[in-house]
Amino acid sequence: VTALADLLVAIVGPDHVLDDADVTASYARDWTGRFVGEALLVVRPGSTAEVAGVLRACTDAGVPVVPQGGNTGLVGGSVPRRQPMVVLSTSRLTARGDVDAGAAQVTLGAGVTMADWRRHAQAGGFDAPVDFASRDSATVGGAVATNAGGSRVVRFGTMRAQVAGLTAVLADGSSIGSLAGLPKETVGVHWPSLLAGSEGTLGVITAVRLKLVPWYRHTATAMVATGSLADAVAVLAALRSNVANLDAVELILPEAMAVVAAHLGATPPVGDERTGAYVVVELADHEDPTDALMAALADLPQIHDAAVTTEGPARERLVAFRDRITESISAQGVPLKLDVAVPVGALDELMAAVRAALAAHGGRVVPFGHLAEGNVHVNILDPGDPDLLARDILGAASALGGTISAEHGGGLAKSKYLHLVRTPAELAAAAALRHALDPTGTLNPGVLTAT
Amino acid sequence: VTALADLLVAIVGPDHVLDDADVTASYARDWTGRFVGEALLVVRPGSTAEVAGVLRACTDAGVPVVPQGGNTGLVGGSVPRRQPMVVLSTSRLTARGDVDAGAAQVTLGAGVTMADWRRHAQAGGFDAPVDFASRDSATVGGAVATNAGGSRVVRFGTMRAQVAGLTAVLADGSSIGSLAGLPKETVGVHWPSLLAGSEGTLGVITAVRLKLVPWYRHTATAMVATGSLADAVAVLAALRSNVANLDAVELILPEAMAVVAAHLGATPPVGDERTGAYVVVELADHEDPTDALMAALADLPQIHDAAVTTEGPARERLVAFRDRITESISAQGVPLKLDVAVPVGALDELMAAVRAALAAHGGRVVPFGHLAEGNVHVNILDPGDPDLLARDILGAASALGGTISAEHGGGLAKSKYLHLVRTPAELAAAAALRHALDPTGTLNPGVLTAT
């Protein structure tokens, strides 16, 4: 360790190699406290060249490396394992380029936060296409590496779709990629597509060239009550074909509405005993889209109650029923969090399987999510048997053609379930690809490794 | 050959293994006649399982395979080399699933044409997000494999962004992928992202699950005249931040306007001796966007002349000046076609380099393209020295941070120029990835192979 530490100090300077256990402890555990490992050293390189030096030194020394951005992940992918690892923090990679209005792009260091991406874009007259709750800590590099999602995916896609370019360093210290930001280039392997969602297993992202979208100053929000998940999907289908500028289509199931309403000390804004699924719909545009939203919802027979608001306190009261669900769950305890998705037509079957699993293994479900992607955050309070609940629910999602991780990534937590969603041939091919870029297994061992 | 042919007949049936040179000749040359090779056999499998059998047999026999869709490519990637190869035609993979309105997706066999994708989508109330001129022959599988672009990329991205799922077969006959169409899934290698743009070198795509977009019934089109490429980019920047539903931002340079106007026997609809760049802007929406388009253009000081039209004959007359440029070039001879892109801020420098190359090596340029992506189709009539022209122009594009192939792919044609846009480390990493999936080099040897 001393020899490696000396090498790393020579690369990044003494202030940026941390070995005091009191200091490194916060890098060695995730924010939920469920994943705790040992940080041999924490290294904070200040440039792509320094990242290259660090990776080359660690690979030569046979010491594994875990890249860490904002450390806001939920699946243990950004903290060391029990096996001691070097934590490569991107916290100093915070350079920000000017907003390029012609290209509608901006170049950011991997360590820039999601919130800063948005603020920087808005200062240049644009907006960031991806947003999610951990925006103040989560970094753009981490969001690309985990292919993060959020509520605007229906309009703009996940983080993978936002990457017009990136630079990254492979395990052997080779630098790859470009920040030129070419929206069209087809000359072989497209590094942004490969690295997005690779969770630090193929390379360490050091900077990204991200797309920007228009900054829509007007948002209209509706909450509608439908009789069932099938009705909610019918509403989604109508919106998809009839509405331009659809910005979000979110799902709240009755159990979650009850929990958040109690937490807020408020009555649900819409719905009654007939309601099987609530849908939150947002349109964003340069002009006020409220009339368009009302018109789109007016003739849909699946809706038995609706509230439509534009900006201001009324909208804030409405969206609180979606935005504060997580907080209302946390107020009741630490949930088992399963982040599944299925084809939207299979949502009903998924929830039937969830309820059967609860009946068999115990727990109270607080389900909500992103309707347009069939993505349900299955939060279970007081889980009876977490392992059997996970087995049954992840198994049901995959049996329905769905997935065990929609937007949280695989990390460590899902390694034992990867076989549910990938065939042996696929796992073998993925392992061969990983071995081709990292033959010594330096980068994030255990993460995305089928067991 | 006879032994392999017998094996293939056993897999796909005698009607679908072609060995008559008169019949296979059309599979062995591209439509421009510039790329001609030898088809050992042409095989037309009818299912993913048959594709798997064919690839396994060819890999075992040590015979290389070139996958072929509509064979509309421009870089020689879909026809055999001089070295005899088996042509794997996807022409029988034409199954079409129902339009899934809730997901806004559809499943199509790889051999379905781009035009049929659109027709099928529209029959279900949606539209296809990608369109380009060879739509009647080009297949969706080929378009994904080459990451095709076209004029709507500014709104929806290239083909890579449309793939919600795919099935493919690796060289060893392993099947990978899924057609569930999950917009969010992060559990390791994302096969659609990896296969898109791989030009048949990593696997053979057999079916795709493609996104659909709203079918906007109203289009407004403007042609504006600006003083320079820099002014055109300023117009682009304003449109990007101020306009919703921007569907196309196309570029016509004065040399191309002169050629197409002469071909049409018409006067350019806008512009005069001041005009350095024409821009064609389209908005598409559920409601008529003509007023929004006129408002967006009204205050832009870079525009010295503009024509705005809505649907009907007036619009058709206007768009003919963009759509019929290729035809007007072909009427004058076979051009040298270079498909370059640069960051939009570097377009002026690119065209200066193009004109310098013409002065040095001879030829007349007819340049046009897709402004929003900095993508210029550098068509050169009567090229003096095509090799030196290509060397200088591709070199200039890459020196400006651009690329040697924006939407035509690398194919065979660009292999000797790949070093201009990828470092030795990147080429080595790409080769390692390819070798990991195709260790025997069965799939499309020579294509995307740096020389």
Side-chain angles (χ1 to χ4, degrees), chain A residues 139-151:
Chain A
T139 62
V140 292
V144 172
T146 58
N147 189 29
S151 62

Side-chain angles (χ1 to χ4, degrees), chain A residues 102 104 147 150 160 177 180 184-186 190 193 214 236 240-242 245 286 370 375 401 403 405 407 409-410 422 426, chain B residues 102 104 147 150 160 177 180 184-186 190-191 193 214 236 240-242 245 286 370 375 401 403 405 407 409-410 422 426:
Chain A
N147 189 29
R160 179 182 280 117
K184 282 183 185 167
E185 182 185 49
T186 300
H190 188 243
S193 297
L236 168 68
R240 279 194 190 276
S241 70
N242 298 336
N245 307 320
H286 288 299
H370 310 287
N375 179 191
T403 190
S405 188
E407 59 181 8
R422 293 293 182 268
E426 289 177 313
Chain B
N147 188 29
R160 179 182 281 117
K184 281 184 186 168
E185 181 185 50
T186 300
H190 188 244
W191 300 116
S193 296
L236 167 67
R240 280 194 190 276
S241 70
N242 298 335
N245 307 320
H286 288 298
H370 309 287
N375 179 191
T403 189
S405 188
E407 59 181 7
R422 292 293 182 268
E426 289 177 313

Side-chain angles (χ1 to χ4, degrees), chain A residues 1 3 35 38 64 95-96 120 132 163 240 295 327 356 358 368 411 439:
Chain A
V1 177
F35 296 94
E38 185 182 338
R96 299 186 308 188
H120 193 52
F132 47 83
V163 194
R240 279 194 190 276
E327 167 193 326
L358 291 166
F368 65 100

Side-chain angles (χ1 to χ4, degrees), chain A residues 6 97 116 128 201 209 224 266:
Chain A
D6 290 347
D116 278 339
T201 65
R209 176 84 174 171
V224 304

Side-chain angles (χ1 to χ4, degrees), chain B residues 285-298:
Chain B
D285 203 345
H286 288 298
E287 308 296 328
D288 183 356
T290 307
D291 290 347
L293 180 55
M294 289 176 68
L297 298 171

